[in-house]
Amino acid sequence: MKLLFDFFPILLFFIAFKVYGIYVATAVAIVASIAQVAYVYFKNKRVEKMHLITLALIVILGGATLIFQDEAFIKWKPTVVNWGFALVFLGSHFIGKKPIIRRMMDQAISLPSDVWIKLSYMWVLFFIFSGAMNIYVAYQYDTDTWVNFKLFGLMGLTFLFILLQGVYISRYLKTSDEDKSTTHPTKAMDAAYETLADVEMDAVVDKQQAASKKDK
């Protein structure tokens, strides 16, 4: 699963922290992130911007943690990532004709325009909340608790949000079955999962280029 692949450096960070501590774990996370991006590049001959942005943040904030021996830098990384995505999703309401979530999912499912807007704001709130929760735990609890939350808490929040979003989307997905309309939660869940797995601008560009070719 792509989402689990994206969590790979976090898992290694967690294991290294439990064995060696925060600074070794930070170094492991940096190396794992570099390896992750290298693997994606050699496999696909391209790298998603999400991975590049995440790599840049882990190298900068992780590097600062190691240089200054201050774990506060690495603790801010999940918050910066989540709030950055919130800004991108919110900004897409004012830049372009469609919210970014619609540009990413429009070819997979068909939803009313007002539902797309609501979904977009749901993602904005989710990213803001996740970032806020991360920094709250980081400063209110010890490092061990924060590391546990980083893996289990944030991942749990992510899957819970995807589940709830899938249920919400399923209300608007209809298909004909012996002249009766029925909803398909599974399709909605898949679409919701793909949204988080593909939160990156390359996907938008690719779909826009594909649409342009069809128009021609």
Side-chain angles (χ1 to χ4, degrees):
M1 293 176 66
K2 186 176 184 298
L3 185 59
L4 294 179
F5 176 75
D6 291 338
F7 273 99
F8 172 70
I10 299 176
L11 179 60
L12 292 185
F13 175 86
F14 175 82
I15 296 173
F17 172 80
K18 294 299 182 181
V19 178
Y20 299 107
I22 188 66
Y23 298 113
V24 172
T26 299
V28 168
I30 293 173
V31 174
S33 296
I34 294 173
Q36 182 186 56
V37 170
Y39 172 80
V40 171
Y41 176 77
F42 285 112
K43 180 181 179 182
N44 303 321
K45 302 305 179 184
R46 62 188 293 272
V47 180
E48 298 173 355
K49 288 187 178 180
M50 182 186 74
H51 285 146
L52 291 177
I53 293 172
T54 302
L55 176 62
L57 287 173
I58 188 65
V59 170
I60 294 172
L61 297 177
T65 294
L66 296 177
I67 293 172
F68 298 106
Q69 292 292 287
D70 186 349
E71 61 191 42
F73 291 102
I74 195 65
K75 288 181 176 180
W76 268 94
K77 185 252 181 181
T79 296
V80 173
V81 170
N82 277 287
W83 286 355
F85 285 148
L87 184 62
V88 170
F89 270 60
L90 183 61
S92 70
H93 286 265
F94 307 98
I95 301 175
K97 297 181 179 180
K98 301 177 182 178
I100 191 171
I101 188 173
R102 183 170 185 174
R103 284 176 256 172
M104 295 166 64
M105 295 174 61
D106 214 4
Q107 294 183 0
I109 58 176
S110 178
L111 297 171
S113 296
D114 62 319
V115 175
W116 284 118
I117 294 174
K118 291 177 182 178
L119 284 176
S120 181
Y121 282 120
M122 286 180 188
W123 280 100
V124 171
L125 292 175
F126 169 73
F127 286 131
I128 292 175
F129 177 75
S130 296
M133 283 299 299
N134 172 74
I135 211 63
Y136 173 79
V137 173
Y139 281 96
Q140 295 299 320
Y141 297 91
D142 59 26
T143 301
D144 188 70
T145 301
W146 173 75
V147 171
N148 290 333
F149 173 77
K150 179 177 168 65
L151 177 63
F152 301 109
L154 289 179
M155 184 179 289
L157 284 174
T158 298
F159 282 112
L160 177 61
F161 177 75
I162 290 175
L163 174 63
L164 294 176
Q165 188 189 62
V167 173
Y168 175 74
I169 292 176
S170 69
R171 298 164 53 192
Y172 301 94
L173 294 179
K174 303 285 185 178
T175 187
S176 177
D177 182 12
E178 297 181 354
D179 297 328
K180 293 182 180 180
S181 294
T182 57
T183 58
H184 282 261
T186 301
K187 183 179 180 181
M189 289 289 295
D190 290 342
Y193 163 75
E194 288 299 328
T195 302
L196 186 59
D198 291 326
V199 176
E200 34 91 9
M201 297 305 295
D202 288 350
V204 177
V205 173
D206 291 344
K207 290 178 182 179
Q208 288 177 331
Q209 291 176 342
S212 298
K213 291 180 180 179
K214 288 183 179 180
D215 293 338
K216 294 179 180 179

